[in-house]
Amino acid sequence: MIKLFVTVAVYLIVIFGGSPLVQVICRKVNLPRIDKGGLKGAGRFIGYFERFLVLTFALLGSYEAIAFVFVGKSILRFTKREETEYYLLGTLVSISWSIFWAIILKIILGRIAIFS
């Protein structure tokens, strides 16, 4: 039961904690926020699903699927340089956040022995 609780907690941290992290890092490098008049809040929800998928694939050891998520997004986004940089930085931060927590969760669940 404790493993389930920890797993759910990590999923919530990854999915919802990644958005503020992406925003802070993008602001730190002074990239302009891109607003092209798309669906309101769509980028945030895309990020939620992206982090959910990356965490799930990392926990399953399906790293090829993580590459597929990244490549799939890449095909759709290349336009102006600033937009590409904003997108790429946000995606890399989001994926890194998810993989970091996947490693932490694997350590907690005993799937990775780091001090053996």
Side-chain angles (χ1 to χ4, degrees), residues 19-111:
S19 294
L21 178 67
V22 169
Q23 291 171 359
V24 166
I25 290 177
C26 286
R27 270 191 239 122
K28 287 276 186 195
V29 297
N30 294 320
L31 288 175
R33 183 169 172 89
I34 306 302
D35 184 12
K36 296 175 72 175
L39 297 174
K40 187 173 182 167
R44 182 180 321 116
F45 286 103
I46 290 168
Y48 292 165
F49 286 110
E50 173 184 306
R51 288 185 291 276
F52 172 83
L53 289 171
V54 170
L55 177 60
T56 301
F57 293 148
L59 291 173
L60 294 173
S62 183
Y63 302 106
E64 301 86 1
I66 295 171
F68 179 74
V69 169
F70 184 74
V71 170
K73 284 185 69 178
S74 298
I75 292 169
L76 299 175
R77 291 291 189 131
F78 288 103
T79 55
K80 296 179 182 174
R81 183 175 176 202
E82 292 83 15
E83 292 174 10
T84 301
E85 289 174 346
Y86 187 86
Y87 152 77
L88 185 58
L89 180 61
T91 298
L92 290 174
V93 170
S94 185
I95 288 174
S96 298
W97 175 255
S98 300
I99 291 173
F100 168 79
W101 280 101
I103 292 167
I104 296 298
L105 184 56
K106 283 184 171 187
I107 291 169
I108 291 170
L109 297 178
R111 289 199 195 148

